[in-house]
Short mmCIF file of all heavy atoms in Angstrom, two decimals:
data_model
loop_
_atom_site.label_atom_id
_atom_site.label_comp_id
_atom_site.label_asym_id
_atom_site.label_seq_id
_atom_site.Cartn_x
_atom_site.Cartn_y
_atom_site.Cartn_z
N LYS A 2 1.93 1.26 0.77
CA LYS A 2 2.82 2.40 0.84
C LYS A 2 3.48 2.67 -0.52
O LYS A 2 3.64 3.82 -0.92
CB LYS A 2 3.88 2.12 1.90
CG LYS A 2 4.46 3.33 2.51
CD LYS A 2 5.40 2.92 3.64
CE LYS A 2 5.61 4.07 4.58
NZ LYS A 2 6.51 3.76 5.66
N LEU A 7 4.09 5.71 -5.64
CA LEU A 7 4.01 5.73 -7.10
C LEU A 7 2.99 6.75 -7.58
O LEU A 7 3.22 7.47 -8.56
CB LEU A 7 3.68 4.34 -7.65
CG LEU A 7 4.78 3.29 -7.51
CD1 LEU A 7 4.26 1.93 -7.96
CD2 LEU A 7 5.99 3.69 -8.33
N PHE A 21 7.24 23.98 -15.67
CA PHE A 21 8.28 24.43 -16.59
C PHE A 21 7.69 25.29 -17.70
O PHE A 21 8.27 26.28 -18.11
CB PHE A 21 9.05 23.25 -17.20
CG PHE A 21 10.03 22.65 -16.24
CD1 PHE A 21 9.91 21.33 -15.87
CD2 PHE A 21 11.06 23.39 -15.71
CE1 PHE A 21 10.81 20.75 -14.98
CE2 PHE A 21 11.97 22.84 -14.82
CZ PHE A 21 11.84 21.51 -14.46
N ALA A 22 6.52 24.92 -18.21
CA ALA A 22 5.88 25.69 -19.28
C ALA A 22 5.52 27.09 -18.79
O ALA A 22 5.64 28.06 -19.52
CB ALA A 22 4.64 24.97 -19.78
N GLY A 32 8.37 43.86 -28.68
CA GLY A 32 9.48 43.14 -29.28
C GLY A 32 10.61 44.07 -29.66
O GLY A 32 10.59 45.25 -29.44
N MET A 34 13.48 45.15 -32.86
CA MET A 34 13.39 45.27 -34.31
C MET A 34 13.56 43.92 -34.99
O MET A 34 12.84 43.61 -35.93
CB MET A 34 14.45 46.24 -34.82
CG MET A 34 14.14 47.65 -34.50
SD MET A 34 14.70 48.66 -35.82
CE MET A 34 14.55 50.24 -35.10
N MET A 40 7.75 45.97 -34.10
CA MET A 40 8.72 46.53 -35.03
C MET A 40 8.79 45.75 -36.34
O MET A 40 9.67 46.00 -37.16
CB MET A 40 10.10 46.59 -34.38
CG MET A 40 10.14 47.48 -33.13
SD MET A 40 9.60 49.18 -33.42
CE MET A 40 10.99 49.80 -34.32
N MET A 47 14.97 47.85 -42.55
CA MET A 47 16.26 47.38 -42.04
C MET A 47 17.04 46.69 -43.14
O MET A 47 18.25 46.89 -43.28
CB MET A 47 16.06 46.43 -40.86
CG MET A 47 15.79 47.15 -39.57
SD MET A 47 15.85 46.07 -38.13
CE MET A 47 14.50 44.98 -38.43
N GLN A 48 16.36 45.87 -43.92
CA GLN A 48 17.03 45.17 -45.02
C GLN A 48 17.51 46.16 -46.07
O GLN A 48 18.59 46.01 -46.63
CB GLN A 48 16.08 44.15 -45.67
CG GLN A 48 15.92 42.88 -44.87
CD GLN A 48 17.23 42.14 -44.77
OE1 GLN A 48 17.98 42.28 -43.80
NE2 GLN A 48 17.53 41.34 -45.75
N PHE A 50 18.20 49.53 -45.75
CA PHE A 50 19.18 50.53 -45.35
C PHE A 50 20.32 50.00 -44.47
O PHE A 50 21.40 50.59 -44.47
CB PHE A 50 18.49 51.68 -44.60
CG PHE A 50 17.44 52.38 -45.41
CD1 PHE A 50 16.11 52.28 -45.08
CD2 PHE A 50 17.79 53.12 -46.54
CE1 PHE A 50 15.13 52.93 -45.83
CE2 PHE A 50 16.83 53.77 -47.30
CZ PHE A 50 15.49 53.67 -46.94
N LYS A 54 24.41 45.65 -40.88
CA LYS A 54 24.65 46.09 -39.51
C LYS A 54 23.96 45.16 -38.51
O LYS A 54 22.97 44.51 -38.83
CB LYS A 54 24.11 47.51 -39.29
CG LYS A 54 24.54 48.52 -40.31
CD LYS A 54 25.95 48.97 -40.05
CE LYS A 54 26.28 50.18 -40.91
NZ LYS A 54 27.38 49.98 -41.80
#
Side-chain angles (χ1 to χ4, degrees):
K2 206 174 200 181
L7 290 174
F21 284 119
M34 287 215 191
M40 299 303 287
M47 281 190 295
Q48 282 297 95
F50 300 112
K54 310 282 191 240

